[in-house]
Amino acid sequence: MTSIITRRRFNFGAGASAAALPLIGTGARAQAPLGVGFIYVGPVGDHGWTWTHDQGRLALEKEYGAKIKTSFIEKVAEGPDAARAIRQLAQAGNQLIFTTSFGFMNPTIQVAKQFPNLKFEHATGYQRAENVATYNARFYEGRAVIGTIAGHMSKSGQAGYIASFPIPEVVMGINAFTLAARKVNPNFRTKVIWASTWYDPAKEADAAKALIDQGCDIITQHTDSAAALQAAEQRGVFAFGQASDMKAFAPKAHLTAIVDDWSGYYIKRVKEVMDGSWKSGDVWHGIKDGMVKIAPYNDAVTPAARAAADEVTKGIVAGTLHPFTGELKDQKGTVRLKAGEKASDELMSKMDWYVDGVQA
Amino acid sequence: MTTAILVSILMTLVAASTPILLAALGELVTEKAGVLNLGVEGMMLCGAVAGFAVAFSTGSTMLGLLAAVMAGVATAMVFAVLTLSLTANQVATGLALTIFGIGASSLIGAGFVGRTITRLGPVFPAALSEHPWLRAVFGHDIVVYLSLALVIGVSLFLRRTRPGLILRAVGENDASAHAIGYPVIAIRYAAIAFGGALAGLGGAYFSLALTPMWADGLTAGRGWIALALVVFAAWRPGRLLLGAYLFGAVMTLELQAKAAGITWLAPELLAMTPYLATVAVLTMMSLGRRAGRANAPACLGKPFSAS
């Protein structure tokens, strides 16, 4: 069972408005299904970040059927106003609420205080409470895999990287990608364009074109649309998908994609609420736990590149390979990791420096 | 190699400028008739989604462009009925139209997310359109040439034809135009429809040519740039063309500078330039320079009702 509350979206027809009605007054009665709510920052139709969270919600419905009742509010602006949307879900009888963007952190904590009996889960944040847990994915592991492929597949030894904002999450990805590529080709260079937006398809496409003009023959991105892939397809160079498998947009260019898969975590946490074992905590899951996945390789990926990429994936899963292993220096020559040392989560979550080979 | 990069930059520049030019040209005509329609972004999005939906369903990009024009006109008519027939406040209605367009396009487009179509291709045969440097002139699609023709057309219409003179009269002094027998409301309906048509076409340029896909908010605020551009151009089609290409050049060069690793020129500075220029033009106009004041339609944004 699903009910959809859409803000800033016009509900034409009785069906849409009727679907929103049953939410009001569904208190926690005995035998009633467990209410699970989601707050999304983007539209479900972004085919990226929000879409992957909604796939997680759908996986929940498939797993638990009539035992749960999910609902979501999409396109919720980050910041104070989000509290209203979170409170709406809390008052509608949901017992577990996922808030799926960094900017929902303070509103989530605030609403959680008002509803001490409900459980909250906030994605990518760092503030926790008795009834607020946090979760995030180790996307940098996926970056290391695609970086390895880029090192093998690039003829010019130059990749173009369309990035959003210089926050640790993005910087970490750029470094992991470049380090992996330079293991294959020591002269590999990554040219970064800061788009200063998460989402502007035309600008992302133009950035890709500019990078290709400057000699990059591999395009990767940390922005949300598939426009850069389309530009790569048009110009006949390779590219990687972001957040979801984007092969449909660029059948020839799309080598593989880093896919976010939240379903395993969501299913586990809902079960814990059902049997009363839910506790607040913090998880940062990666390839090993299935939260980060690598999409099927394109036929164009050479056997050598496949083998090397699989090797990296296996090493990460086995724990023998960490994308950030010393000795590691930043561009100024400061030693960030001693020989053999593996980066701590603390170091990575504060990363504000670049490795050699990055032009940012 | 250098020629190849220059030609490529030029192609990107033209492509980036075209949708802004189209939307701004439509708004220019609307404003010349004395109507301020702030709903350009909304009309562009409706055009973008309608164009993509029809092109995807029929497989014809041309039908998609046609549908976009009609969708733009339809959206503009909502505005026209509210502001002209019901004399609602133009600023508030225009803003509402943008919000409506964002929502409506998202609703219509929900089923088309993740789909893709064949990109709108060049007009001329491959010998010209894929030539290493001739393609800078002949390598564009039909909408680019159409937009340039429309600039000339609108310019001639406004300055050299009688209907153009009447349209300007309606925008300059609606009461006088009404007194000597011109149908003020009907002319404004037509001007708003033209603005909607070009906004729809500009929007479809995103979903059919630049990034052949549909995603929510695809135009990402270009409608607002178009609005600023009309003021920047002091309501002159020629200067509008210059302004649109200046915007396109700045947007393209900003990215090229970043890709080339040029660090001495702050890209943020480059990104600010067109807006600073707009503010400068506005300031000059309010200081009473003749060039600007002569062109701002005197009745812009004022409701009219025949008494």
Side-chain angles (χ1 to χ4, degrees):
Chain A
M1 294 197 290
T2 314
S3 19
I4 303 166
I5 310 165
T6 44
R7 283 158 42 110
R8 286 206 275 146
R9 174 180 276 200
F10 290 75
N11 285 322
F12 292 122
S17 38
L21 281 177
L23 257 183
I24 297 154
T26 39
R29 281 161 288 166
Q31 306 301 317
L34 177 80
V36 183
F38 289 83
I39 300 283
Y40 299 145
V41 65
V44 169
D46 70 351
H47 212 76
W49 177 257
T50 293
W51 188 79
T52 63
H53 284 285
D54 199 54
Q55 291 297 306
R57 182 185 66 81
L58 294 174
L60 274 180
E61 295 205 324
K62 207 174 155 208
E63 178 78 17
Y64 296 113
K67 281 194 262 175
I68 61 164
K69 176 174 174 353
T70 70
S71 49
F72 65 83
I73 305 183
E74 62 178 344
K75 288 204 235 175
V76 176
E78 296 187 317
D81 192 44
R84 221 154 39 90
I86 302 169
R87 203 174 292 120
Q88 194 180 347
L89 284 186
Q91 285 167 339
N94 291 290
Q95 283 136 70
L96 177 63
I97 294 168
F98 293 92
T99 55
T100 63
S101 189
F102 182 77
F104 299 148
M105 181 161 70
N106 293 329
T108 305
I109 297 287
Q110 182 197 335
V111 177
K113 270 190 200 141
Q114 298 166 337
F115 295 89
N117 296 327
L118 307 187
K119 315 274 191 282
F120 295 83
E121 298 257 359
H122 176 237
T124 73
Y126 55 81
Q127 278 194 41
R128 282 167 287 280
E130 191 81 336
N131 61 338
V132 182
T134 53
Y135 62 105
N136 196 2
R138 295 179 186 270
F139 303 111
Y140 68 90
E141 295 182 351
R143 301 273 172 199
V145 177
I146 65 169
T148 307
I149 298 175
H152 277 275
M153 300 293 292
S154 174
K155 291 197 176 71
S156 68
Q158 286 190 69
Y161 204 118
I162 301 153
S164 48
F165 300 98
I167 56 173
E169 175 84 45
V170 176
V171 173
M172 205 189 306
I174 294 169
N175 283 339
F177 175 85
T178 310
L179 282 173
R182 278 169 88 89
K183 266 189 200 166
V184 183
N185 173 1
N187 297 318
F188 196 90
R189 282 158 54 79
T190 305
K191 293 185 170 186
V192 181
I193 286 189
W194 298 103
S196 304
T197 175
W198 285 107
Y199 182 80
D200 182 340
K203 188 173 187 183
E204 291 167 47
D206 285 351
K209 286 181 200 163
L211 288 162
I212 298 165
D213 285 343
Q214 295 293 336
C216 300
D217 59 1
I218 300 255
I219 297 295
T220 186
Q221 57 174 348
H222 205 141
T223 47
D224 289 345
S225 90
L229 281 143
Q230 289 185 323
E233 180 90 358
Q234 193 191 12
R235 296 287 189 96
V237 304
F238 293 125
F240 296 104
Q242 165 77 5
S244 68
D245 192 325
M246 293 180 167
K247 194 173 170 54
F249 290 99
K252 284 188 201 131
H254 185 276
L255 290 179
T256 180
I258 303 171
V259 178
D260 312 348
D261 186 351
W262 308 100
S263 55
Y265 181 71
Y266 288 169
I267 288 170
K268 177 169 168 281
R269 295 302 265 177
V270 167
K271 182 161 183 298
E272 286 173 3
V273 171
M274 283 173 166
D275 62 24
S277 65
W278 189 97
K279 274 195 182 68
S280 173
D282 176 41
V283 303
W284 198 10
H285 283 172
I287 295 180
K288 187 182 160 203
D289 315 278
M291 202 178 260
V292 177
K293 286 183 173 148
I294 302 295
Y297 299 132
N298 192 306
D299 288 343
V301 180
T302 58
R306 272 165 208 258
D310 286 343
E311 194 72 17
V312 171
T313 312
K314 272 186 214 143
I316 288 171
V317 171
T320 53
L321 188 151
H322 191 293
F324 295 103
T325 307
E327 181 178 322
L328 193 58
K329 286 181 188 163
D330 64 20
Q331 290 188 344
K332 290 183 185 124
T334 314
V335 177
R336 296 290 182 167
L337 289 171
K338 292 190 211 96
E341 190 190 353
K342 287 174 185 168
S344 64
D345 289 356
E346 163 96 15
L347 179 99
M348 285 189 290
S349 58
K350 287 182 179 161
M351 199 174 276
D352 59 355
W353 39 269
Y354 299 103
V355 297
D356 277 337
V358 176
Q359 175 199 300
Chain B
M1 188 62 199
T2 338
T3 327
I5 292 182
L6 280 178
V7 169
S8 177
I9 292 175
L10 200 67
M11 302 280 295
T12 312
L13 184 162
V14 171
S17 313
T18 299
I20 308 173
L21 175 62
L22 281 167
L25 193 63
E27 178 68 14
L28 185 144
V29 172
T30 308
E31 290 189 13
K32 270 294 193 188
V35 180
L36 179 67
N37 185 354
L38 294 179
V40 179
E41 179 82 357
M43 298 189 294
M44 285 178 90
L45 280 169
C46 286
V49 75
F52 187 85
V54 169
F56 181 80
S57 310
T58 63
S60 162
T61 323
M62 285 302 149
L63 281 180
L65 289 175
L66 197 69
V69 169
M70 294 196 301
V73 173
T75 323
M77 280 303 109
V78 175
F79 175 84
V81 169
L82 289 172
T83 57
L84 298 182
S85 300
L86 305 172
T87 59
N89 180 293
Q90 290 181 9
V91 172
T93 311
L95 291 174
L97 190 70
T98 287
I99 301 168
F100 168 77
I102 293 169
S105 62
S106 166
L107 181 75
I108 297 163
F112 295 97
V113 170
R115 308 295 175 90
T116 186
I117 52 162
T118 319
R119 193 183 290 266
L120 184 64
V123 188
F124 294 101
L128 286 172
S129 67
E130 282 169 25
H131 187 278
W133 51 271
L134 274 180
R135 72 190 181 103
V137 180
F138 296 107
H140 305 288
D141 52 65
I142 181 97
V143 180
V144 170
Y145 301 111
L146 182 67
S147 70
L148 296 175
L150 278 166
V151 170
I152 299 169
V154 166
S155 181
L156 290 177
F157 169 78
L158 288 175
R159 294 170 76 179
R160 299 259 185 267
T161 69
R162 191 161 179 82
L165 186 69
I166 296 169
L167 184 129
R168 283 194 287 145
V170 166
E172 294 298 338
N173 195 331
D174 46 14
S176 303
H178 175 68
I180 51 175
Y182 292 122
V184 172
I185 298 292
I187 289 166
R188 287 190 171 169
Y189 260 102
I192 293 173
F194 183 77
L198 290 204
L201 189 62
Y205 197 68
F206 285 94
S207 61
L208 300 179
L210 288 178
T211 52
M213 61 174 178
W214 169 252
D216 277 11
L218 189 68
T219 52
R222 301 297 190 287
W224 300 108
I225 298 184
L227 276 165
L229 206 57
V230 176
V231 180
F232 172 82
W235 293 272
R236 293 173 175 205
R239 209 191 281 185
L240 189 75
L241 177 71
L242 199 77
Y245 276 71
L246 180 74
F247 263 86
V250 167
M251 287 193 289
T252 311
L253 291 180
E254 177 199 343
L255 297 171
Q256 287 284 349
K258 284 180 191 168
I262 295 171
T263 46
W264 52 267
L265 182 69
E268 291 82 4
L269 207 68
L270 211 52
M272 278 191 283
T273 320
Y275 303 95
L276 285 176
T278 306
V279 173
V281 168
L282 277 171
T283 315
M284 283 195 303
M285 279 168 49
S286 60
L287 283 175
R289 293 276 179 89
R290 272 183 303 149
R293 184 171 270 181
N295 270 295
C299 288
L300 185 59
K302 289 181 193 159
F304 172 81
S305 51
S307 48

